[in-house]
Amino acid sequence: LGLTRSLAIEEGKNGITVNCVGPGWIKTGSSSEEEITAGQFTPIGRPGFPEEIGHTVVFLASKEASYITGQIIFVDGGSKDGTIEKAKELFFKAIEIEPNHGDAYFNLANTFKQMRNFKKAQEFYEKTIQIQPNNPSVHNNYGNICKQLGEFEKAIVSYNRAIELKPDLADIHNNLGTILQKYRKFTEACSAYI
């Protein structure tokens, strides 16, 4: 948000508006069942759709939004109103009732990721992996968190495990290829993308 506001201030004099869209749980072809379920905890009671993000972006780029700048527009079904705290509370309750409830740990990890508490998210993805070692979505999300935290070797291991479990999921290959490029392992990156 700081970058958005800085750019909005800097470019405002040139008639350029700069805003940020903050998506919540959006249902896409690569969404896991757990992520879709998490979207049901929003006040709207469902995950969002990519078109809803697109409509927001189109509006922000339109003449009608010419006086909106330096803002973050959350398209999250109302999650920022404390519902995410309620969801977190319910996931902890589910774990209290059933300590090996893998989906509750996974959703809790996703919740902390959405809250940008990446260390906590990592902790709960690790617990989920202990319970659901053969879940490719968990390994992919764990890889994303490790990448976010700069733990690239862990991310690579996790992406590779996700690919072993579900070799046809394009997002995982893309995630692996992207991180291998950062390591300047271009041949391996190309293989990951294929």
Side-chain angles (χ1 to χ4, degrees):
L1 185 56
L3 177 62
T4 300
R5 289 199 173 143
S6 294
L7 286 171
I9 291 167
E10 188 175 315
E11 295 300 327
K13 63 184 172 283
N14 299 319
I16 298 171
T17 60
V18 180
N19 294 291
C20 182
V21 175
W25 300 106
I26 305 300
K27 184 178 180 180
T28 67
S30 64
S31 296
S32 69
E33 263 185 60
E34 293 85 357
E35 291 167 328
I36 293 167
T37 299
Q40 295 170 355
F41 285 97
T42 67
I44 300 293
R46 66 169 175 79
F49 298 104
E51 297 81 18
E52 292 169 312
I53 301 300
H55 293 310
T56 304
V57 171
V58 168
F59 168 71
L60 289 171
S62 73
K63 191 188 298 186
E64 288 79 11
S66 63
Y67 199 63
I68 301 171
T69 193
Q71 302 302 308
I72 183 164
I73 309 299
F74 290 104
V75 184
D76 62 0
S79 292
K80 296 295 177 216
D81 73 349
T83 305
I84 198 160
E85 289 300 324
K86 181 66 175 168
K88 197 168 72 170
E89 178 185 319
L90 291 172
F91 295 139
F92 275 120
K93 224 175 240 183
I95 291 166
E96 188 178 309
I97 294 166
E98 175 51 56
N100 288 317
H101 194 305
D103 290 342
Y105 279 105
F106 186 67
N107 284 323
L108 196 52
N110 288 335
T111 301
F112 279 111
K113 180 174 123 184
Q114 187 177 2
M115 296 170 70
R116 305 194 58 75
N117 185 338
F118 300 125
K119 283 306 267 183
K120 256 321 198 196
Q122 183 182 44
E123 176 187 328
F124 286 109
Y125 283 130
E126 287 170 353
K127 182 64 177 173
T128 309
I129 288 169
Q130 290 173 6
I131 298 167
Q132 298 178 344
N134 297 321
N135 184 330
S137 294
V138 177
H139 287 283
N140 185 43
N141 283 6
Y142 181 68
N144 290 339
I145 285 296
C146 290
K147 184 170 92 174
Q148 186 72 37
L149 293 169
E151 298 176 13
F152 300 121
E153 289 296 330
K154 279 185 181 178
I156 290 169
V157 168
S158 199
Y159 292 142
N160 279 320
R161 178 66 179 135
I163 289 168
E164 284 175 29
L165 295 167
K166 191 156 175 83
D168 60 336
L169 194 56
D171 277 355
I172 303 169
H173 288 275
N174 185 55
N175 292 339
L176 178 60
T178 301
I179 203 165
L180 288 170
Q181 274 185 283
K182 287 184 186 216
Y183 264 112
R184 305 188 66 73
K185 296 181 178 182
F186 299 116
T187 304
E188 291 176 48
C190 286
S191 295
Y193 288 127
I194 296 173

